[in-house]
Amino acid sequence: VANYTPMEMQKQFHECTTQGRLFSGGNRAGKTVAGVVESVKWLTGTHEVFSEQFRPPVRGRVCGVEFDRGIDLVLIPEFKKWVPTEFLIEGKWERSYHKATRLLTLTNGSTCEFMSYDQDVDKFAGTSRHFCHFDEEPPKAIFTECLARLIDTNGHWWMTMTPLIEFSWTADDLYEPIKDGRIPFITLFEASTRDNVHIQSDAIDKLTFIMDEDERDAR
């Protein structure tokens, strides 16, 4: 992906070959960008690790908290930023992305559907996918349904999330077991906002002074 220079944790994330990846980090730690770029690499067939194993056309699914904010205000702008124009139909985002169905179609035949956690679980059933990207923690039922879409392709998934104060089900089912080495096929990545080389440290201090210690640490 042109003009993308990964920070160290992002680089490790992209190079990881485990079937599942959990990227947990503070606000502005670069996790969502890493998750989107990973999706773009898969869809375009330009991934340094998986381009031979998963050749286009690739079928992807990206899930966010809700359509208005999580998808339209966060994820779509990132995809518009990172998808190379040569993979867009007629070189235009508007020709490749169908707003009504929230489906992105590239010139190589790859497709990516955008879904929201406020949709009914049965909407997440259907045909198989090669990858799923969860931006922020999904409801467990949606997570389980999405993983079922990956079985016949032996596909991969990654989750990028900020654990605000408390995890819900991911603490017991993912985070702690991964840290303890009980789920070897999932890798945990943890990054702090201060790890982002593009953010000034004093800006963090000045803009989080109103938060209590627990909230500041979580963010």
Side-chain angles (χ1 to χ4, degrees):
V1 177
N3 302 319
Y4 175 68
T5 303
M7 294 178 288
E8 181 57 33
M9 188 62 67
Q10 293 172 322
K11 183 174 182 293
Q12 294 177 23
F13 171 79
H14 295 306
E15 293 175 346
C16 178
T17 59
T18 54
Q19 199 147 22
R21 283 170 278 176
L22 177 61
F23 197 154
S24 174
N27 291 129
R28 313 305 298 170
K31 57 194 183 302
T32 294
V33 172
V36 169
V37 170
E38 182 74 7
S39 299
V40 171
K41 287 173 178 283
W42 279 60
L43 293 167
T44 57
T46 58
H47 200 289
E48 298 83 352
V49 179
F50 299 109
S51 59
E52 289 299 317
Q53 182 180 357
F54 294 95
R55 296 182 178 180
V58 167
R59 301 182 302 277
R61 173 180 289 177
V62 175
C63 306
V65 176
E66 57 188 16
F67 283 127
D68 289 345
R69 292 188 299 169
I71 302 297
D72 294 339
L73 291 184
V74 177
L75 292 169
I76 294 300
E78 288 295 335
F79 270 84
K80 292 175 69 174
K81 178 179 180 179
W82 297 113
V83 175
T85 56
E86 61 263 31
F87 289 97
L88 298 175
I89 298 172
E90 299 179 4
K92 299 178 180 178
W93 175 265
E94 293 75 18
R95 293 284 291 137
S96 290
Y97 180 63
H98 192 262
K99 293 181 67 173
T101 59
R102 289 187 168 86
L103 181 69
L104 176 66
T105 303
L106 302 186
T107 54
N108 61 7
S110 291
T111 58
C112 184
E113 61 183 349
F114 295 85
M115 304 190 70
S116 167
Y117 300 150
D118 56 13
Q119 291 180 274
D120 292 336
V121 176
D122 59 6
K123 298 293 185 182
F124 292 81
T127 57
S128 66
R129 300 289 179 268
H130 294 100
F131 75 81
C132 288
H133 170 201
F134 305 92
D135 191 55
E136 301 303 346
E137 181 186 63
K140 186 175 181 179
I142 288 177
F143 178 75
T144 301
E145 190 62 50
C146 286
L147 261 58
R149 303 305 112 219
L150 304 175
I151 293 175
D152 65 344
T153 63
N154 199 25
H156 287 225
W157 63 269
W158 46 93
M159 186 185 302
T160 52
M161 63 178 291
T162 298
L164 291 179
I165 309 303
E166 296 179 351
F167 290 105
S168 62
W169 64 271
T170 55
D172 294 331
D173 293 352
L174 293 178
Y175 185 81
E176 293 298 338
I178 297 169
K179 290 201 72 170
D180 294 343
R182 286 179 278 147
I183 312 181
F185 51 87
I186 305 176
T187 302
L188 173 66
F189 299 89
E190 293 185 281
S192 166
T193 304
R194 297 182 188 278
D195 293 333
N196 190 330
V197 297
H198 305 294
I199 295 179
Q200 297 180 7
S201 181
D202 64 337
I204 299 173
D205 296 332
K206 292 175 182 176
L207 297 174
T208 61
F209 77 96
I210 198 66
M211 302 175 187
D212 61 37
E213 184 176 356
D214 287 340
E215 184 179 6
R216 186 167 56 249
D217 288 344
R219 290 188 177 277

